[in-house]
Amino acid sequence: LIGGGIMILYAALFAAYSPVFQEPVIESQTLTFALMCIVTIVGMALAIRHDAVTIALLAILGGFLTPRLVSTGTDARDILFSYILLLDLGVLGVAFYKKWRALDILAFVGTIALFGGWYYKFGIDAPVGPPLAWLATLWAVFAIVPVAYHVRHKTQLTVERLVMSLLNATYGFGFAYLILANRHDDLAWV
């Protein structure tokens, strides 16, 4: 019921902002974005309170859909990546206390999808410094997420956590190569 309520809130906010169905009730992108962020935060808090991974999954799914739902089609790199970083830090905070692998994987896939989508739409011709800095920051979060629970609780690392760490490294270094290869092919291999 709580998860369904969260999804209804996301849908209602999207419908209130989007001119798809009628004249927008909420005309401010910033307000809609802020309200969707609040829904995500409340959803994560309820998930932890009720120890319910499904609520967390729905909250994070809505959180990663939010930039797409309120997008104006303009390049808002720093705002987008700051938002993604906040979502990922929220998942990292949960990872220290809960062993919710599905949440970690969903956040990782959402981060890859939003970063890749931004890069292919706006980043190919952008200077390489800022995208590399954001990539390194997001990579660092997911270098910690798979091991956070195991370090805090002093338990043995599982195979799927190792696989997630390897996927993070592959994605991070592969995307760094892609960003650099267009302009600095010799540096890209380093």
Side-chain angles (χ1 to χ4, degrees):
L1 288 174
I2 293 171
I6 290 169
M7 295 316 292
I8 289 170
L9 285 172
Y10 282 124
L13 288 169
F14 173 69
Y17 173 71
S18 174
V20 172
F21 305 107
Q22 61 186 19
E23 285 293 316
V25 176
I26 302 174
E27 293 186 14
S28 169
Q29 177 194 24
T30 306
L31 177 61
T32 305
F33 186 75
L35 290 171
M36 286 185 172
C37 289
I38 290 169
V39 171
T40 302
I41 292 166
V42 169
M44 289 299 289
L46 287 170
I48 292 167
R49 168 86 169 92
H50 294 286
D51 196 25
V53 68
T54 53
I55 297 171
L57 289 171
L58 291 172
I60 285 296
L61 178 63
F64 277 104
L65 288 175
T66 294
R68 185 68 186 116
L69 294 174
V70 299
S71 174
T72 60
T74 60
D75 184 9
R77 178 193 66 222
D78 294 333
I79 294 169
L80 173 64
F81 293 142
S82 295
Y83 174 73
I84 294 170
L85 179 62
L86 286 174
L87 281 177
D88 291 343
L89 288 173
V91 169
L92 175 61
V94 171
F96 278 104
Y97 298 97
K98 302 289 183 182
K99 197 171 160 182
W100 292 347
R101 290 179 288 240
L103 181 66
D104 301 346
I105 292 167
L106 181 60
F108 181 64
V109 170
T111 299
I112 290 171
L114 288 178
F115 187 90
W118 172 85
Y119 181 77
Y120 287 112
K121 188 163 185 175
F122 300 108
I124 292 174
D125 296 325
V128 298
L132 281 176
W134 280 113
L135 179 65
T137 303
L138 298 172
W139 172 87
V141 171
F142 283 101
I144 301 168
V145 165
V147 299
Y149 181 86
H150 298 284
V151 169
R152 184 173 186 277
H153 296 280
K154 296 180 174 87
T155 59
Q156 185 175 3
L157 192 65
T158 60
V159 173
E160 61 268 8
R161 297 302 191 158
L162 179 61
V163 169
M164 187 174 179
S165 295
L166 292 173
L167 288 174
N168 182 46
T170 303
Y171 163 73
F173 293 120
F175 224 101
Y177 172 81
L178 182 66
I179 291 169
L180 288 169
N182 288 339
R183 297 195 189 121
H184 309 288
D185 192 39
D186 296 339
L187 184 60
W189 283 106
V190 173

